[in-house]
């Protein structure tokens, strides 16, 4: 069961992140940094009683290692999701899911270039299969007219978000183990609030917040509880056990979960080709995460 734990955690993370995209698209009328500030403010209020004692005890450690802590806060907690919400103002949830599927490939390539990691041929094949299947899941449901638009500003913003998340994953692998789990997340959320507050104010958050509807408040509550707290804790725990590349490849399941969420919540139709492509994604993920056989 212990060996399965990080994989179960990552499946939950993907389910939560698919909800992040769907809810983020539903809130796309709100300014992106205002959405981001709302979610981290809610998350901070949740983590305050959980992480306060660890944050106080770990303060000398946080001061000594403030650079990686700042990097973790700005990448994974503050600006990755802010960039997603900014991209959703210009592009579709479909495009965001496709581009977020580039994270495993970018993680693998940058791990080879900067960390000197070596991967088996079957893992390269697995990443390629899962990426191809992830793209096919989405493109199967799109018309030729929808494909003709090419890249737009939202797609380009999402490409930056992909690089930001890869940087966060590397920082987690290198530094997260030295920090207390709840105390460090509390500190990172505090940093994220400080970083996002001026940008949200420039967007006019002080005018937007009083006019939020109950549906928008419910959406922000989801973003503040699940992607901002639950998913980060699960992802950090799993990544520490299996490494950034094997953890990141689970994000190729994101279009599959997003497709299922759109079917369940929005009544979207699932095509047979999308089912077949989803199976390709699953095979690719398995090829990437399965352990090497021990020799004799």
């Amino acid at each position: 069961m212990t060996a399965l734990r990080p994989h179960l955690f990552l499946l939950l993370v993907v389910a939560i992140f698919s909800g992040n995209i769907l809810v983020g698209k539903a809130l796309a009328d709100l300014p992106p940094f205002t959405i981001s500030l709302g979610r981290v403010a809610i998350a901070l209020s949740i983590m305050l009683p959980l992480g306060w004692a660890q944050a106080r005890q770990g303060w000398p450690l946080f001061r000594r290692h403030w650079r990686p802590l700042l990097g973790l806060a700005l990448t994974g907690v503050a600006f990755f999701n802010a960039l997603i919400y900014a991209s959703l103002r210009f592009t579709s949830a479909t495009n965001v899911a496709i581009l977020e599927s580039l994270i495993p490939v970018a993680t693998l390539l940058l791990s080879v270039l900067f960390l000197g990691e070596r991967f088996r041929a079957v893992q390269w094949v697995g990443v390629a299969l899962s990426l191809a299947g992830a793209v096919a899941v989405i493109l199967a449901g799109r018309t030729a007219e929808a494909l003709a638009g090419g890249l737009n500003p939202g797609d380009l913003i999402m490409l930056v978000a992909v690089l930001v998340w890869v940087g966060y994953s590397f920082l987690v692998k290198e530094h997260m183990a030295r920090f207390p789990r709840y105390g460090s997340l509390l500190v990172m959320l505090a940093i994220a609030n400080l970083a996002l507050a001026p940008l949200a104010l420039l967007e006019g958050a002080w005018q937007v917040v009083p006019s939020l509807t109950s549906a928008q408040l419910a959406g922000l509550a989801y973003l503040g509880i699940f992607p901002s707290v639950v998913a980060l804790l699960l992802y950090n725990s799993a990544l520490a056990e299996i490494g950034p590349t094997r953890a990141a490849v689970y994000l190729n399941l994101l279009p599959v979960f997003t497709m299922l969420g759109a079917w369940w919540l929005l009544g979207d139709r699932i095509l047979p080709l999308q089912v077949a492509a989803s199976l390709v994604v699953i095979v690719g993920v398995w090829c990437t995460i399965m352990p090497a056989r021990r020799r004799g």
Side-chain angles (χ1 to χ4, degrees), residues 51-290:
W52 178 254
Q54 284 189 356
R56 286 189 61 185
Q57 293 171 1
W59 189 248
L61 180 67
F62 297 145
R63 290 184 61 185
R64 190 160 61 250
H65 299 285
W66 67 270
R67 289 182 179 85
L69 191 68
L70 179 64
L72 287 162
L74 295 180
T75 53
V77 182
F79 288 108
F80 172 68
N81 284 287
L83 290 167
I84 287 181
Y85 304 140
S87 72
L88 285 167
R89 292 176 66 86
F90 302 100
T91 193
S92 65
T94 291
N95 279 25
V96 168
I98 290 173
L99 292 168
E100 199 162 342
S101 296
L102 293 174
I103 287 176
V105 176
T107 303
L108 189 149
L109 293 175
L110 292 176
S111 294
V112 171
L113 289 175
F114 296 111
L115 302 182
E117 293 191 26
R118 300 181 67 181
F119 299 97
R120 293 171 289 128
V122 69
Q123 290 179 293
W124 288 95
V125 171
V127 169
L129 274 177
S130 58
L131 177 63
V135 173
V137 165
I138 299 300
L139 298 188
R142 301 187 71 192
T143 63
E145 291 78 7
L147 292 171
L151 282 175
N152 60 49
D155 297 329
L156 296 175
I157 293 169
M158 192 58 209
L159 287 174
V160 176
V162 166
L163 295 177
V164 168
W165 186 261
V166 173
Y168 172 74
S169 296
F170 287 166
L171 286 170
V172 169
K173 178 64 176 177
E174 186 70 22
H175 300 285
M176 198 67 193
R178 65 166 59 101
F179 298 126
R181 179 177 299 182
Y182 298 116
S184 62
L185 182 55
L186 175 62
V187 173
M188 287 189 286
L189 284 166
I191 294 171
N193 274 272
L194 292 173
L196 291 169
L199 298 172
L201 289 174
L202 287 174
E203 288 181 329
W206 55 280
Q207 292 177 317
V208 173
V209 171
S211 61
L212 290 174
T213 66
S214 58
Q216 289 170 331
L217 288 171
L220 287 174
Y222 173 87
L223 298 179
I225 296 168
F226 292 100
S228 303
V229 176
V230 177
L232 280 182
L233 290 172
L234 294 176
Y235 186 81
N236 292 348
S237 175
L239 189 146
E241 292 191 50
I242 67 173
T245 301
R246 294 174 71 200
V249 79
Y250 271 90
L251 296 179
N252 274 341
L253 292 168
L254 190 60
V256 179
F257 278 70
T258 304
M259 174 186 70
L260 292 173
W263 166 73
W264 184 37
L265 298 172
L266 306 177
D268 287 4
R269 189 163 60 98
I270 297 177
L271 303 176
L273 182 57
Q274 290 176 308
V275 175
S278 300
L279 295 175
V280 173
V281 173
I282 293 168
V283 171
V285 170
W286 173 252
C287 289
T288 307
I289 65 173
M290 67 178 182

Side-chain angles (χ1 to χ4, degrees), residues 1-11 234 237-239 241-242 250:
M1 186 63 186
T2 302
L4 287 176
R5 183 178 59 190
H7 304 287
L8 294 175
F9 282 2
L10 288 166
L11 288 174
L234 294 176
S237 175
L239 189 146
E241 292 191 50
I242 67 173
Y250 271 90

Side-chain angles (χ1 to χ4, degrees), residues 25-41:
K25 187 62 178 177
L27 296 176
D29 290 340
L30 300 178
F33 290 107
T34 300
I35 299 174
S36 299
L37 178 62
R39 63 173 279 168
V40 296

